[in-house]
Structure formats: structure tokens, C-alpha cells
């Protein structure tokens, strides 16, 4: 019997102890205070009222690392909403032809199959909506799938959310079955944090669902090497053995990974665990996230040093999602030019020019 087919318990499969499996996710300021992660205050309560909290058991176990804790533990700095920040910073809603669907690029669509995540990142560009509901209702899913089936230009479907791997294996499998049955859909992509932040979910049933005739590419969101504990590494090994192609996306975050040593350690760890670094995102203009944003010049300097240290295999593309919906661009000299201190002229894929301003510093 192949190793991936052995009937393992969820705890054994993920490499987590039964004690860790018994821990619950932390979802309130009181939970975080009881765990010694925050000092309760009225200001933190106000943050929690505006932006949801969820810290999974796996990330709770890694929260001794400041690079991990800062991503998930609320901060009163989130109460500062700057004028340039937006509830929908990358303009998903302007390109939504059906519930849960974003069709921004001709050959691919994003399908948000759920609004649930195993963790709620403090910098999330969908932080206004994640956690507000569960799986996409059947009527909405039917409408989205009908649009995909009626649009032959669509070759790739990207499942996102929320987190698609927070769905049950049965429900996720049903969605993938229907997508795989669309003749012109050639590639299925899943964007997820689950293999890292909730590795116990990646059991044999979930692996079986990812074994498809059409290729499934799994893009794993991780930002700091301390997220990649032994349970996560064990899951990445099993995903690789199951034939799932894995890539990563990370967000450049002030106070988390905005130094070359941390990013180098992260990208080397990903390569060691058979994950190709794909994107390093400039932090989006989500509301209450200015304390996380670097300048583009800082990001470019980090990338220049990483190019001196790492092979091309370990280097992601440094990208910006242009606010408002113009799409993603590589932050290369040909696509982004600083025309005044902190003021950038960025050119989208259609040749249109947009202004982007670096974060103001008090």
C-alpha cells in the first residue's frame, strides 16, 4: 500500500500531538489574553469588533515567534484607517459577473468558494468579508459554474476565499468534479494557507480529492520561516508524494519579513520542502494595515540583495496589485517608476498608467 493511502489519524497524518489537536482556535481578545498573547483593553475590543480574530492551534503553537504572532494577533494600530485604504483594495467587485466570481484576466477566473479561513490575517485584503459567511451558497455556485461553462476563453480556475481547503473534502471534491467536467478548463489552482496553519486538515481524504486528471496547482500562503513547523513540513512532503505541484505566495510585511535574512530563510525553507516561491506581494491597501506596508523602494532593495544570494529557483516575483482593479504587475523598472519621493507611476498590462503612493510615515 502506498504511504499516502495508509489509514492514519488526523493527528498522525499532520505530525501534531493529540494535545495540540485538542487545542481550540482562539477567536476573541479574551482567548488571546488567556493564552498570554495580549493585554486586554477597550481599544483591542474595538479592533475585534471591526476585524475578526482567528488563530489556529498550529499557529498558536508557533506564536512565540514575533514574525508569526504579528500576522494573527490584533494590534490597536488597526484602528487607524488612512484615506487611501479601501474595503476592496484590488477591485474584485468591479469584475464580478456572478456570485463569488472575479473575471479580471481573459483566460482565468477567481472563484471564492467560501468566506471561511483557519486563521484571519491582520493584513488580509479581504478582511472586510472573510468570516462573514461560510461556503458559497448552492445557487451562487451554480451561477458561477454556469458562467465558467459558457465562457470558452477561461482556461484556468483559481479557487480562493476564504480558504478552499477549509471546506470538507466532500464539498471541495464536488466543486472540483464540476470544474473538471468543463472541457475548456485546463488547469485548477487552489490558494490556501491550510497546509501551514492547519496541517491536520490535510488528511488522506483531502489528498485524494486533489488527485485529478487535470492538473491541480496548490499555491500556499506563508510569510515567515517560523510558520513552517514540523507538522507543516510533513504535510508538504505528503502533498509532493501525492503529485500536487506546489508554489508559494508571500506578502512583504513591515515587522514580519522586511529584512533579507528572513526572506532568504523563508524561500530556502520552501525550496527544501518542494515549494517553488512564486509571488512576493507588496502589501495591499486594506483598511487598517498601514503599519504593515513598506515602500516599494525598500521592497526592491530587498529583492536586489536576494538576487545576489539565491538562485532563480528560490526567487519569487515582487508584484503589486494595482489598487482599484487594474491587475497585477511586476515591480520592475519597466513597470514602476518613482517620479517624486514616494510617488510612483505604475503601468498595467494594457499599457495604462496609474499613480501609487508609498505609505505616509508619522
Amino acid at each position: 500500500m502506498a504511504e499516502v493511502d495508509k489509514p492514519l489519524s488526523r493527528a498522525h497524518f499532520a505530525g501534531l500531538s493529540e494535545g495540540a489537536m485538542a487545542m481550540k482556535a482562539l477567536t476573541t481578545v479574551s482567548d488571546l489574553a488567556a493564552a498570554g498573547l495580549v493585554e486586554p483593553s477597550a481599544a483591542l475590543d474595538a479592533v475585534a469588533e471591526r476585524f475578526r480574530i482567528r488563530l489556529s492551534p498550529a499557529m498558536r503553537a508557533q506564536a512565540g515567534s514575533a514574525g508569526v504572532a504579528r500576522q494573527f494577533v490584533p494590534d490597536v494600530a488597526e484602528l487607524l484607517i488612512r484615506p487611501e485604504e479601501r474595503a476592496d483594495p484590488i477591485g474584485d467587485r468591479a469584475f464580478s459577473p456572478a456570485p463569488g466570481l472575479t473575471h479580471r484576466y481573459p483566460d482565468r477566473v477567481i472563484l471564492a468558494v467560501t468566506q471561511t479561513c483557519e486563521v484571519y490575517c491582520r493584513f488580509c485584503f479581504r478582511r472586510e468579508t472573510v468570516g462573514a459567511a461560510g461556503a458559497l451558497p448552492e445557487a451562487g455556485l451554480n451561477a458561477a459554474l454556469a458562467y465558467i461553462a459558457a465562457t470558452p476563453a477561461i482556461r484556468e480556475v483559481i479557487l480562493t476565499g476564504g480558504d478552499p481547503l477549509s471546506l470538507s473534502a466532500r464539498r471541495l471534491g464536488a466543486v472540483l468534479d464540476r470544474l473538471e467536467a468543463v472541457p475548456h478548463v485546463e488547469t485548477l489552482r487552489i490558494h490556501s494557507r491550510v497546509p501551514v496553519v492547519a496541517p491536520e486538515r490535510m488528511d488522506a481524504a483531502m489528498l485524494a480529492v486533489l488527485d485529478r486528471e487535470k492538473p491541480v496547482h496548490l499555491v500556499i500562503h506563508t510569510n515567515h520561516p517560523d510558520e513552517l513547523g514540523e507538522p507543516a513540513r510533513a504535510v508538504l512532503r505528503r502533498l509532493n508524494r501525492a503529485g500536487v505541484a506546489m508554489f508559494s505566495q508571500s506578502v512583504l510585511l513591515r515587522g514580519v519579513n522586511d529584512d533579507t535574512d528572513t526572506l532568504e530563510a523563508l524561500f530556502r525553507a520552501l525550496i527544501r520542502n518542494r515549494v517553488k516561491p512564486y509571488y512576493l506581494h507588496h502589501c495591499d491597501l486594506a483598511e487598517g494595515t498601514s503599519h504593515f506596508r513598506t515602500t516599494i523602494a525598500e521592497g526592491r532593495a530587498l529583492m536586489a540583495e536576494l538576487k545576489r544570494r539565491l538562485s532563480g529557483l528560490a526567487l519569487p516575483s515582487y508584484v503589486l496589485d494595482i489598487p482599484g482593479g487594474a491587475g497585477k504587475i511586476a515591480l520592475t523598472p519597466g513597470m514602476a517608476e518613482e517620479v517624486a519621493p514616494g510617488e510612483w507611476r505604475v503601468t498595467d498590462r494594457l499599457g495604462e498608467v496609474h499613480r501609487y503612493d508609498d505609505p505616509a510615515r508619522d
Side-chain angles (χ1 to χ4, degrees), residues 309-329:
R309 298 188 186 189
L310 297 171
S311 74
L313 186 64
L315 279 172
S317 295
Y318 179 39
V319 298
L320 170 73
D321 260 306
I322 300 172
K328 189 182 288 93
I329 62 159

Side-chain angles (χ1 to χ4, degrees), residues 80 98 101 123 139 153 164 184 206 215 224 229 259 292 333:
L80 174 62
L101 201 64
F123 51 87
H184 53 265
M206 190 67 81
H224 194 281
D259 66 274
F292 280 117

Side-chain angles (χ1 to χ4, degrees), residues 43-264:
L44 272 186
D45 288 339
V47 173
E49 191 160 326
R50 178 73 186 273
F51 303 115
R52 294 170 185 84
I53 296 170
R54 187 174 178 86
L55 178 64
S56 68
M59 289 300 94
R60 179 179 175 182
Q62 301 297 111
S65 162
V68 174
R70 184 167 163 82
Q71 296 181 59
F72 308 117
V73 175
D75 189 304
V76 295
E78 296 173 50
L79 295 176
L80 174 62
I81 311 296
R82 291 193 177 273
E84 69 272 16
E85 294 177 340
R86 310 178 182 206
D88 182 20
I90 68 171
D92 279 345
R93 294 170 198 162
F95 296 88
S96 182
L101 201 64
T102 302
H103 192 183
R104 192 190 321 272
Y105 305 102
D107 70 330
R108 56 202 182 276
V109 293
I110 293 171
L111 178 57
V113 289
T114 181
Q115 294 299 332
T116 300
C117 290
E118 295 297 322
V119 292
Y120 292 141
C121 303
R122 310 318 302 170
F123 51 87
C124 178
F125 68 91
R126 295 192 180 110
R127 64 193 319 221
E128 302 280 355
T129 56
V130 292
L136 184 64
E138 191 66 18
L141 179 62
N142 288 340
L145 292 172
Y147 177 89
I148 292 169
T151 312
I154 297 171
R155 303 297 187 88
E156 180 177 3
V157 177
I158 302 162
L159 298 188
T160 182
D163 195 315
L165 295 183
S166 68
L167 295 175
S168 69
R170 178 195 60 79
R171 186 184 288 266
L172 178 62
V175 174
L176 292 173
D177 286 345
R178 295 176 69 179
L179 288 170
E180 200 170 27
V182 178
H184 53 265
V185 172
E186 299 172 345
T187 303
L188 305 171
R189 198 197 313 177
I190 298 173
H191 285 202
S192 179
R193 257 192 178 281
V194 162
V196 170
V197 304
E200 71 279 3
R201 293 194 58 81
M202 300 304 297
D203 57 14
M206 190 67 81
L207 280 189
V209 160
L210 301 179
D211 185 3
R212 297 272 148 187
E213 183 67 26
K214 292 183 178 180
V216 174
H217 296 84
L218 180 58
V219 180
I220 297 165
H221 180 175
T222 184
N223 300 314
H224 194 281
D226 290 346
E227 293 176 58
L228 299 171
E230 175 52 35
R233 296 195 300 271
V235 163
L236 296 178
R237 175 70 170 173
R238 287 186 173 273
L239 283 162
N240 174 259
R241 289 179 176 178
V244 177
M246 292 183 291
F247 303 83
S248 75
Q249 60 178 354
S250 305
V251 181
L252 181 59
L253 299 167
R254 184 175 296 278
V256 173
N257 59 12
D258 60 328
D259 66 274
T260 315
D261 290 344
T262 299
L263 288 174
E264 178 185 5

Side-chain angles (χ1 to χ4, degrees), residues 3-19:
E3 183 176 355
V4 295
D5 295 326
K6 291 178 182 178
L8 303 177
S9 71
R10 292 175 78 205
H12 186 187
F13 188 94
L16 292 171
S17 69
E18 293 292 347

